[in-house]
């Protein structure tokens, strides 16, 4: 299916008539100028959740959906026996990661945080649409500045694109994407503080750009992490890291590759 067929199916439900033809022509104009199909449709599906995009957050990526799907069984196994798994979805954007965790891990209790007011509004909309009740709160915070609790799981897709590459997504919020010359301007302060906000045996999961794997390994070692593993995405590129706050490797079927 091409983008036009997707729009006709997902936005118009295959019902085209005189009253919505003008709107479709407008959509096709936007599409021809490179405007993202998912903004035109207004939502995406993401791991059993419908993610509304009306406030124009970052559009959830298939790489993120892939690693989250792979990670959910690891989280369940690692926190087996916990009555409640306290989760922080930091850099939430649309809230897609935290919403998918809340929907797919019934004993999770999710807190969302992001720096942008528009995303705070977007997360509220998405919590409502997906009828998610196992969430604690939404916090407007610059990285950890307004976070005060400890969490069993901190899950993060920070901005990580080097300045020169950000232009590849010209219609999405730059603050969600670019992060300095090497794309590490948010990752560095995040990783340097994350252990202070993790409970004993807590886990963190973080997405990154494949070129950053060595730099991230160095940062983690500098900050005393001994147990972390890098994983690849569906295209065979290193894309996410899971680390633990204690000297114990989380239950996974993967072997340490780096
Ligand atoms: C790559 S997007 C991830 C969005 C969503 N979690 C996802 O996976 O689709 C990064 C998010 O971090 C937020 N952000 C950027 N700088 C931040 C900061 N200093 N503190 C907190 N959030 C920030 C952006 O507003 C954006 O929503």
């Amino acid at each position: 299916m091409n983008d036009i067929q997707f729009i006709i199916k997902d936005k118009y439900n295959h019902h085209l008539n005189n009253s919505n033809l003008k709107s479709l022509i407008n959509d096709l104009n936007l599409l021809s100028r490179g405007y993202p199909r998912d903004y035109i449709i207004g939502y995406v599906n993401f791991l059993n959740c419908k993610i509304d995009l009306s406030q124009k957050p970052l559009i959830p990526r298939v790489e993120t959906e892939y690693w989250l799907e792979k990670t959910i069984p690891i989280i369940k196994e690692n926190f087996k026996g916990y009555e409640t798994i306290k989760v922080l979805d930091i850099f939430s954007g649309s809230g897609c990661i935290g919403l998918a965790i809340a929907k797919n891990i019934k004993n999770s209790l999710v807190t969302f945080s992001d720096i942008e007011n528009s995303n705070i509004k977007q997360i509220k909309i998405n919590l409502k649409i997906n009828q998610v009740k196992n969430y604690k709160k939404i916090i407007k915070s610059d990285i950890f500045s307004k976070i005060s609790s400890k969490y069993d799981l901190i899950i993060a897709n920070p901005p990580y694109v080097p300045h020169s590459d950000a232009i590849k997504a010209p219609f999405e919020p730059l603050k969600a994407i670019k992060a300095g010359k090497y794309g590490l301007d948010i990752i560095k302060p995040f990783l340097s503080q994350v252990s202070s906000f993790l409970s004993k045996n807590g886990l963190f999961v973080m997405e990154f750009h494949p070129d950053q794997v060595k730099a991230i390994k160095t940062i983690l070692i500098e900050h005393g992490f001994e147990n972390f593993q890098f994983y690849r995405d569906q295209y065979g590129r290193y894309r996410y890291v899971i680390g633990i706050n204690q000297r114990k490797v989380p239950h996974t079927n993967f072997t340490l590759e780096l």
Side-chain angles (χ1 to χ4, degrees):
M1 240 195 295
N2 62 29
D3 285 347
I4 300 174
Q5 289 166 322
F6 265 113
I7 290 171
I8 292 173
K9 175 172 85 67
D10 290 342
K11 183 167 177 182
Y12 297 97
N13 205 13
H14 293 298
H15 293 309
L16 287 177
N17 50 40
N18 283 345
S19 60
N20 61 21
L21 209 55
K22 215 170 157 189
S23 160
L24 177 67
I25 291 168
N26 188 42
D27 292 345
L28 299 185
N29 270 330
L30 288 170
L31 200 61
S32 70
R33 276 183 265 140
Y35 196 67
R37 178 195 75 194
D38 296 328
Y39 281 162
I40 294 173
I41 293 172
Y43 69 92
V44 290
N45 295 311
F46 186 93
L47 289 179
N48 303 327
C49 300
K50 182 174 179 174
I51 306 297
D52 177 88
L53 301 173
S54 57
Q55 307 306 305
K56 306 289 179 282
L58 185 91
I59 298 168
R61 299 296 200 265
V62 290
E63 290 89 340
T64 307
E65 189 176 31
Y66 173 88
W67 67 250
L68 188 56
E69 189 171 18
K70 293 276 176 211
T71 304
I72 285 172
I74 297 174
I75 297 168
K76 284 183 176 167
E77 180 62 29
N78 209 69
F79 296 111
K80 224 177 191 169
Y82 278 53
E83 198 175 316
T84 305
I85 307 169
K86 283 181 67 185
V87 180
L88 174 64
D89 171 14
I90 190 168
F91 314 113
S92 295
S94 61
C96 59
I97 295 177
L99 284 156
I101 297 261
K103 274 243 157 178
N104 292 287
I105 305 179
K106 295 295 171 216
N107 61 334
S108 62
L109 182 66
V110 181
T111 292
F112 297 82
S113 75
D114 198 279
I115 199 168
E116 295 283 15
N117 285 328
S118 60
N119 288 332
I120 304 297
K121 191 172 171 197
Q122 186 68 78
I123 295 161
K124 286 182 186 159
I125 293 171
N126 280 322
L127 282 166
K128 206 166 173 189
I129 290 176
N130 290 282
Q131 299 180 334
V132 164
K133 300 273 182 278
N134 50 331
Y135 77 94
K136 176 116 176 139
K137 54 185 164 181
I138 308 167
I139 304 171
K140 185 179 174 195
S141 176
D142 183 355
I143 315 183
F144 287 112
S145 67
K146 295 284 189 309
I147 307 291
S148 47
S149 304
K150 286 192 187 268
Y151 295 88
D152 302 312
L153 172 70
I154 297 181
I155 197 148
N157 181 12
Y160 58 68
V161 176
H163 271 326
S164 51
D165 276 5
I167 198 73
K168 286 179 190 159
F171 296 97
E172 291 177 88
L174 272 188
K175 214 179 177 98
I177 297 172
K178 69 174 188 180
K181 192 171 179 194
Y182 301 105
L184 293 167
D185 285 9
I186 302 287
I187 284 180
K188 271 188 193 162
F190 168 72
L191 289 179
S192 69
Q193 297 173 74
V194 66
S195 74
S196 311
F197 296 91
L198 281 171
S199 59
K200 193 166 175 269
N201 297 325
L203 291 185
F204 77 86
V205 186
M206 187 192 76
E207 180 173 325
F208 58 82
H209 188 282
D211 293 348
Q212 294 162 338
V213 71
K214 291 227 157 62
I216 289 169
K217 188 177 175 187
T218 306
I219 298 168
L220 284 171
I221 291 169
E222 261 173 32
H223 289 92
F225 280 96
E226 293 184 356
N227 288 291
F228 52 88
Q229 291 190 22
F230 290 96
Y231 299 108
R232 295 173 195 264
D233 62 21
Q234 62 269 55
Y235 309 112
R237 293 175 302 203
Y238 283 114
R239 183 61 71 181
Y240 63 107
V241 58
I242 302 181
I244 191 160
N245 210 19
Q246 292 289 309
R247 296 174 180 225
K248 185 177 133 242
V249 181
H251 295 99
T252 75
N253 295 324
F254 298 85
T255 50
L256 190 62
E257 294 187 56
L258 282 176

